[in-house]
Amino acid sequence: MVHVLSSRILLRPTDPERSRSFYGEQLGLRVYREFGTGPERGTVYFLGGGFLEVSGRSETPPVPVTRLWLQVDDVAAAQRELQAKGVEIVRPPVKEPWGLVEMWIADPDGTPIVLVEVPADHPMRYRPGV
């Protein structure tokens, strides 16, 4: 078995500055580290238990199979905060049949991002013996 020490999602945006503005300023992700210089520099953001690296440049947006799943404490609060920062809400919060509350947004290249709230009574929060 491979012992994974860290994980990272790598995005190659069509406009790195626009994507850094979105992920850093609008979405509010904290910077883990930066490398290189100028508009092509790389920026790595904290994603809870992993990282998101925005670096390099692509001539075309990512393929539509790329999606980000970000768990938040309160989706309604996230919606208010993101709308105040000018982020378009693709789909407002909805409690799904599987019990999670999901809201959808997209990054500047159209990469779908789901913000998920796990309600207190959801089985994902069940921790026997705790």
Side-chain angles (χ1 to χ4, degrees):
M1 176 197 240
V2 174
H3 182 72
V4 177
L5 298 176
S6 177
S7 63
R8 166 175 317 192
I9 296 166
L10 175 61
L11 292 180
R12 300 262 190 239
T14 57
D15 184 337
E17 284 298 328
R18 180 180 69 176
S19 290
R20 273 191 287 277
S21 176
F22 174 79
Y23 286 105
E25 296 168 23
Q26 291 183 293
L27 203 51
L29 297 181
R30 290 182 37 236
V31 173
Y32 169 66
R33 71 182 191 94
E34 292 187 289
F35 54 91
T37 59
E40 303 298 318
R41 73 187 181 280
T43 305
V44 181
Y45 297 96
F46 283 104
L47 280 183
F51 302 96
L52 172 67
E53 179 177 325
V54 176
S55 65
R57 180 183 295 268
S58 174
E59 296 302 316
T60 59
V63 294
V65 296
T66 302
R67 287 173 175 48
L68 298 177
W69 191 93
L70 305 175
Q71 185 176 338
V72 298
D73 290 331
D74 184 338
V75 169
Q79 179 183 20
R80 289 188 299 274
E81 181 180 335
L82 293 172
Q83 284 177 318
K85 293 179 178 179
V87 175
E88 177 186 354
I89 306 301
V90 174
R91 195 191 83 181
V94 172
K95 186 164 187 178
E96 300 292 355
W98 46 88
L100 300 175
V101 181
E102 297 184 2
M103 176 180 75
W104 287 82
I105 62 174
D107 81 358
D109 283 324
T111 301
I113 300 170
V114 60
L115 298 174
V116 177
E117 176 183 333
V118 181
D121 62 345
H122 193 276
M124 285 178 69
R125 290 196 184 242
Y126 178 68
R127 296 175 60 198
V130 176

